[in-house]
Amino acid sequence: LFPREVRAVTSGEYVLENRTGAPLGAVHVRWAPDPRLSMADLSVEGATIEKDHGKLHYRIYRFDAPMAAGERRVLRFRTVLEEKGFPNSQPLTRIVANGSFLNNFEISPMLGMDRNLLLTDRAKRRKHGLSPDLRPPKLEDASANANHYLRHDADWVNAELSLTTDADQVPVVPGYVVSDRTENGRRTLRTRTEAPIHAFFSMQSARYAVKSDAWQGEGREPVALAVYHHPKHGHNVPLMIDAMKVSLETFSAAFSPYQFRQARILEFPAYESFAQAFANTVPYSEAIGFIQNHPAKTAEGDEKIDLVTYVTAHEMGHQWWAHQVMGADKQGMTMLSETFAQYSAMLVMERLYGPAMVRKFLKVELDSYLRNRGGEAVEELPLVRVENQGYIHYRKGTLVMYWLKERVGEAAVNRALQRLIAKYAFKSAPYPSSAEFVAMLREEAGPQHEQLITDLFEKITLYDMKAKDATWKKRPDGRYEVSFTVQGRKFYADGKGKEAEAPLDEPFEVGVFTAQPGKKGFSKASVLHFERRPFRSGESKVMLVVDKEPSWVGVDPYNKRIDRDSDDNLTQAKAAS
């Protein structure tokens, strides 16, 4: 890596194994279609080029003698990724003078055809007589279990990586340090993996300051923690370290042991605003983690969402959900990674901030889901069939998993997740499907939750709950009697948004508060009464007795359900005339 020259020169080799079960006559090799990436050298042992698709960065190599089932051959390559001159737009910001962040998909070859290379524009597909939408295989397609959705050319791998950069910078790649040497103005880090990882690596280099710490689980070796950051961007580093510790403790107990001996967070410049989980390594944009002036946590809570802790916990969750278990490349694939990482993050947020403070997280997720489903161009799908639709696997997924935990119990949900890990962690094909997890969940939750699981995962279920006409009066014993009306409706929607009303008969939470949940001034002390009770379609009367004068009442006050209009779940309580 030459950061100041905006250039990366990469060389490497892959061991290829024929797992098709039959002789293989040819292999297809491709690399990123970025015109700034050139393939300086590429060879496949025992093969010659049959077809070179030039600017499309796609070649077909024909074996001189077919590659036998189980046989291994070596592919060797050398690429150059560089910015030449001054671009008119979209400069190469993955390599910069201070804060480079690359992944191997950008600089190294991949094997086989990828559906992402096909036409995706709906109008262009119609023009060429193709079905308008390029969609993944159906959930029922068992043949799709042969591949996971990250890439089709590799299962779990072992890797040896080296990164050379300028001597004044700190290089970081996944794996454990084999050597780290500096000579002739260049620094070279060499690492080797000791646990199975995806063939998906991050490489970063910057003039980092490093904050180190450690976490040790019961009966386990310490896990080395580190945050690599710009020296002037240390404000939120303690939050990140704390979130890493709580995540490791929570997830190791809830799911399975952490598979690595280290976990690192690495800042990269705000040309992009995301964080991304690689094996024991999390590149993290300064824009969403390092430059916010987030206040310290207080006992009363905080009106702002602690985005730093939330994102950190989500990415740590991916060390299980993607880096232990990876979903098959078909409908439901991202439920097994993104939805479960969201659930993992909510466990951490609840542990740190308490159940009374989760409303602000759930409210954001609910509103985002409702907004985005209105802009669906193809088809909204139930969670179990999600087709990499972010508003479903992130936003709706958070609400589904949190309410599931509340209804069936965290222990039952975690047992189903543990079973999924026990069966599929670090295993190659066949890969798991979302339907298999739902089947495990049904077994752990019991038949009494059959309809709940159907509504959450297999249908598009919406509610319209409203609290109104809230009054209170002081009783002779000094306590307060609160009365209000709940109006309830339930709907099922199809993929185009058409709704049909269904009978409502299920429990919802109700609460009485001295301050409005989710607003400034609300804390755990604001909760006067909180319980779960059944509601049916139509209007129901609620009467509760509390110790202090109430200000607000509500049904589903923390927005744990998918309500079409959550703003009317709460209403102010007035003194009875």
Side-chain angles (χ1 to χ4, degrees), residues 14 16 30 105 109-112 147 151-155 199:
Y14 302 156
L16 311 183
R30 58 187 164 84
F105 288 176
M110 294 161 278
L111 305 181
N147 298 297
R151 61 188 297 172
H152 284 195
D153 62 347
D155 296 308

Side-chain angles (χ1 to χ4, degrees), residues 428-450:
S428 12
Y431 290 96
S433 73
S434 54
E436 188 167 2
F437 167 75
V438 172
M440 293 177 177
L441 178 63
R442 281 193 161 100
E443 293 174 0
E444 296 298 335
Q448 68 273 26
H449 294 300
E450 172 70 26

Side-chain angles (χ1 to χ4, degrees), residues 193-246:
T193 62
E194 295 179 6
I197 68 171
H198 289 300
F200 188 36
F201 319 127
S202 59
M203 292 143 279
Q204 290 183 252
S205 173
R207 292 188 289 276
Y208 286 121
V210 183
K211 172 65 175 177
S212 299
D213 209 318
W215 171 84
Q216 186 166 9
E218 185 176 351
R220 295 203 59 206
E221 293 295 318
V223 175
L225 308 179
V227 178
Y228 293 70
H229 62 95
H230 189 291
K232 295 183 179 180
H233 292 176
H235 178 74
N236 290 327
V237 170
L239 271 179
M240 293 178 174
I241 293 287
D242 288 346
M244 292 168 78
K245 290 180 177 179
V246 177

Side-chain angles (χ1 to χ4, degrees), residues 6-24:
V6 196
R7 180 163 56 99
V9 180
T10 307
S11 61
E13 63 179 39
Y14 302 156
V15 177
L16 311 183
E17 181 179 350
N18 179 8
R19 296 184 181 176
T20 67
L24 192 65

